C-alpha cells in the first residue's frame, strides 16, 4: 500500500490520477530535453522532479509539450495541471497564476570567448552584442545594464553557436545552462553571484488544493534530501539553493552521473557510420511528426477549399449586403499574421466559452487562413469565364444556381488547380507554426532533436527531405488533374 508523506492528503476525486505537467523540450539541458541516446525519451532534472513529485502525491506524472511562450496560457486554458520549466517567480506572472514554494535557485553566468578579455564583469557588456533567452530574468538583467545590443532567442543552443561564430560578444544565461552548453576550451564562464533568480511550479489560480499538495510534497522532498539528490545527479546543486533549503552540508557536485553521462554523449566524436545510425534512430520520430503535419494539412486544406469556394461564389454573385462582409472577412484574414490567428483561436476563444482541442484549433486556424487565399484564387477563376457562357446557359433555361454549379464552377476549378496546389504545399510548410499550441509536428520535432544533438545540418537535411517527399505527390497529382480535365474538355 502506498503511504503519502505527512501533510499530503489523498488526491480528491476531482483530480485525475495523472499529474499532467508541461514544458518545452526544445529548451534544452538540463531542464527538459530529449535523451541524446534515445530521443523518444524525455529526460532532465525537471523530469526527475516531476516524477518524484507525482510519486509523493500518489499519482503518475505525464509530460505535455508546449512552446515556451504558450506555457502559461496553456496552463490557464486547462491543458495541463502544472508548468515545470525553469519558470521564474515574478510579480507579473503571480498576477496570472499561483506559484509553488521555490524548488530551485540560480544565478546568472556570462559566457564569452576565451580570447575576448574585454568582459570581466557585467558592466563590461555595455556597448556589446549579447544573447539571452527571451522573456527571462537574463533578458531583464541585461536590459537593466543599459546600452547593450540584445538579441533574444527561443532556444538555448543558438546563442552559443552565434557566440562561437562571432555574431555575439557574450551570452548571459541561467548558470545551469552555462554548465551544460559552455564547456569547451574556447569559452570562459563568469558567474554573477548577486544576479539571483527563483524558480517555482506554475499552478492555476483556482487550484488551491493542488497548490497545497505540491507545496507539501516539495517541503518533504527538501527535508529528506530528495531535491538535493536530483540536483547533484545533474551537477547543478549550488550555494543559493542550499542556503534556501537550510542545507548546511558542503555543496558539491562531484558525484554527478547524469551530467557526466550527458557530456560524454554530446562530446563524443562520431564516425560516419555512427552518425548514419543516429539518423536511422531519429527517422521514426521525424515520421511521427510528418504524420501529424500531413493530418493537419489535409484537414486544413479541405476546410480552405470548401470555405474558399463558398466565399468566392458569394463575393461574385451575392448581393452587396452579403458580398461586402465576405470581402471584409477575406481582407482581415489575409492582412493579419497566421500566428496571431492561432493564438486567438486556441487561447483567446476559451475566454468566451469556445474551446477547441490543439488539433482542431490548428486545423481551423490554418483552414480559415488559407480559405481567404483560396477565395481569391476561385474568384479569379470565376471572373475569367467569358460572360457569354453565363448568358447562353440562362438562355437555355438553366437557373442562376444551375448555371453557377454546372457551367461556371467546373471551368473555374480547372483553371485554379495550379495555384491551389501551390497553396497546399505552402500550407504543408506553414503547419510548423502550430507548435505554439502544443502540437508536435515535423518542424518542432526537428528543433528538439537538433538542439539536443547540436546537429542542425544533418537532421535539417533529413527533415527537408521528408517535406519534399510529402509535397512531391501533391505536385504530381496536380499535373495529372490538369491533364485529365484538359482531355475531358477536348
Amino acid at each position: 500500500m502506498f503511504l503519502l508523506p505527512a501533510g499530503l492528503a489523498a488526491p480528491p476525486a476531482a483530480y485525475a490520477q495523472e499529474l499532467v505537467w508541461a514544458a518545452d523540450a526544445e529548451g534544452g539541458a538540463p531542464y527538459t530535453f530529449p535523451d541524446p541516446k534515445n530521443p523518444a525519451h524525455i529526460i532532465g532534472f525537471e523530469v526527475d522532479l516531476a516524477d518524484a513529485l507525482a510519486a509523493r502525491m500518489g499519482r503518475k506524472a505525464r509530460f505535455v509539450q508546449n512552446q515556451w511562450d504558450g506555457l502559461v496560457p496553456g496552463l490557464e486554458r486547462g491543458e495541463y495541471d502544472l508548468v515545470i520549466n525553469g519558470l521564474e517567480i515574478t510579480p507579473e506572472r503571480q498576477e496570472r497564476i499561483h506559484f509553488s514554494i521555490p524548488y530551485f535557485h540560480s544565478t546568472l553566468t556570462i559566457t564569452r570567448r576565451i580570447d575576448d578579455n574585454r568582459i570581466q564583469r557585467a558592466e563590461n557588456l555595455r556597448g556589446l552584442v549579447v544573447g539571452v533567452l527571451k522573456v527571462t530574468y537574463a533578458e531583464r538583467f541585461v536590459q537593466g545594464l543599459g546600452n547593450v545590443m540584445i538579441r533574444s532567442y527561443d532556444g538555448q543552443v543558438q546563442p552559443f553557436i552565434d557566440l562561437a561564430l562571432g555574431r555575439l560578444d557574450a551570452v548571459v544565461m541561467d548558470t545551469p545552462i552555462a554548465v551544460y552548453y559552455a564547456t569547451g576550451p574556447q569559452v570562459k564562464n563568469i558567474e554573477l553571484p548577486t544576479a539571483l533568480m527563483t524558480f517555482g511550479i506554475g499552478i492555476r489560480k483556482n487550484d488551491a488544493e493542488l497548490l497545497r499538495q505540491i507545496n507539501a510534497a516539495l517541503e518533504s522532498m527538501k527535508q529528506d534530501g530528495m531535491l538535493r539528490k536530483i540536483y547533484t545527479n545533474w551537477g547543478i546543486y549550488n550555494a543559493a539553493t542550499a542556503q534556501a533549503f537550510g542545507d548546511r552540508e558542503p555543496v558539491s557536485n562531484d558525484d554527478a552521473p547524469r551530467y557526466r553521462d550527458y557530456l560524454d554523449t554530446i562530446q563524443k566524436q562520431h564516425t560516419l557510420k555512427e552518425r548514419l545510425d543516429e539518423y536511422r534512430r531519429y527517422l521514426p520520430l521525424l515520421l511521427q511528426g510528418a504524420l501529424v503535419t500531413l493530418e493537419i494539412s489535409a484537414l486544413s486544406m479541405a476546410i480552405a477549399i470548401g470555405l474558399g469556394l463558398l466565399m468566392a461564389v458569394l463575393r461574385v454573385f451575392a448581393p452587396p449586403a452579403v458580398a461586402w462582409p465576405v470581402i471584409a472577412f477575406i481582407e482581415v484574414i489575409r492582412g493579419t499574421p497566421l500566428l496571431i490567428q492561432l493564438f486567438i483561436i486556441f487561447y483567446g476563444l476559451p475566454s468566451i466559452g469556445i474551446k477547441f482541442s490543439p488539433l482542431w484549433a490548428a486545423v481551423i486556424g490554418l483552414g480559415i487562413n488559407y480559405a481567404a487565399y483560396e477565395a481569391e484564387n476561385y474568384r479569379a477563376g470565376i471572373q475569367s469565364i467569358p460572360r457569354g457562357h453565363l448568358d447562353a446557359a440562362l438562355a437555355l433555361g438553366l437557373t442562376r444556381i444551375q448555371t453557377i454549379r454546372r457551367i461556371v464552377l467546373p471551368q473555374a476549378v480547372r483553371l485554379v488547380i495550379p495555384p491551389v496546389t501551390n497553396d497546399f504545399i505552402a500550407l504543408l510548410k506553414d503547419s510548423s507554426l502550430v507548435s505554439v499550441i502544443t502540437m508536435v509536428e515535423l518542424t518542432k520535432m526537428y528543433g528538439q532533436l537538433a538542439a539536443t544533438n547540436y546537429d542542425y545540418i544533418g537532421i535539417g537535411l533529413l527533415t527537408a527531405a521528408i517535406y519534399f517527399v510529402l509535397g512531391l505527390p501533391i505536385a504530381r497529382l496536380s499535373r495529372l488533374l490538369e491533364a485529365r480535365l484538359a482531355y475531358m474538355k477536348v
Side-chain angles (χ1 to χ4, degrees), residues 126-252:
R126 294 189 178 103
L128 302 180
V129 183
V130 178
V132 297
L133 284 176
K134 67 180 181 181
V135 198
T136 61
Y137 175 58
E139 184 178 54
R140 298 192 301 274
F141 177 85
V142 176
Q143 286 172 344
L145 294 174
N147 191 31
V148 179
M149 185 179 296
I150 300 173
R151 292 185 182 168
S152 299
Y153 293 79
D154 290 314
Q156 298 173 182
V157 177
Q158 294 85 356
F160 293 102
I161 292 175
D162 280 354
L163 177 66
L165 294 174
R167 296 168 180 162
L168 298 175
D169 296 308
V171 173
V172 178
M173 292 278 183
D174 307 354
T175 297
I177 298 174
V179 167
Y180 273 73
Y181 289 93
T183 59
Q186 299 83 12
V187 295
K188 179 178 180 179
N189 290 325
I190 304 170
E191 187 177 3
L192 305 175
T194 60
L196 288 168
M197 72 190 82
T198 303
F199 297 155
I201 296 172
I203 303 164
R204 279 185 297 276
K205 283 283 189 182
N206 59 354
D207 278 346
E209 174 59 22
L210 181 59
L211 174 64
R212 185 192 70 79
Q213 293 186 33
I214 292 293
N215 283 340
L218 285 174
E219 193 61 46
S220 72
M221 291 164 67
K222 283 184 188 179
Q223 298 302 321
D224 65 16
M226 174 60 76
L227 288 182
R228 174 173 179 148
K229 180 180 178 181
I230 291 172
Y231 301 149
T232 53
N233 277 344
W234 289 93
I236 58 171
Y237 198 51
N238 56 51
T241 301
Q243 182 179 1
F245 287 2
D247 182 359
R248 300 181 180 220
E249 296 291 326
V251 174
S252 172

Side-chain angles (χ1 to χ4, degrees), residues 25-26 32-43 63 65 265-266 277-286 288 440 444-453 459:
E26 193 175 347
T32 301
F33 61 103
D35 185 348
K37 295 180 179 177
N38 178 17
H41 183 218
I42 300 296
I43 61 173
F63 168 71
Q65 164 65 37
T265 303
I266 292 300
D277 287 340
E278 277 191 352
Y279 294 155
R280 278 193 287 271
R281 291 204 313 271
Y282 301 156
L283 189 58
L285 293 174
L286 291 171
Q288 288 178 19
V440 180
K444 185 64 177 179
M445 184 61 69
Y446 158 65
Q448 291 180 2
L449 295 174
T452 300
N453 296 277
I459 302 175

Side-chain angles (χ1 to χ4, degrees), residues 378-392:
Y378 284 117
R379 180 181 66 85
I382 290 170
Q383 292 181 336
S384 69
I385 307 301
R387 179 70 187 181
H389 291 201
L390 278 73
D391 295 337

Side-chain angles (χ1 to χ4, degrees), residues 255-273:
D255 184 19
R258 304 302 297 270
Y259 176 59
R260 292 199 306 273
D261 186 56
Y262 173 84
L263 289 185
D264 289 344
T265 303
I266 292 300
Q267 295 176 353
K268 179 183 177 182
Q269 296 296 318
H270 294 280
T271 65
L272 178 59
K273 182 180 182 302

Side-chain angles (χ1 to χ4, degrees), residues 91-118:
E92 296 79 12
R93 289 186 178 130
Q94 286 178 312
E95 291 179 3
R96 299 178 59 182
I97 61 175
H98 280 314
F99 276 99
S100 70
I101 59 176
Y103 66 86
F104 189 72
H105 300 259
S106 178
T107 56
L108 292 179
T109 289
I110 300 172
T111 302
R112 64 168 173 84
R113 289 183 296 277
I114 193 68
D115 57 353
D116 188 352
N117 294 316
R118 294 174 299 171

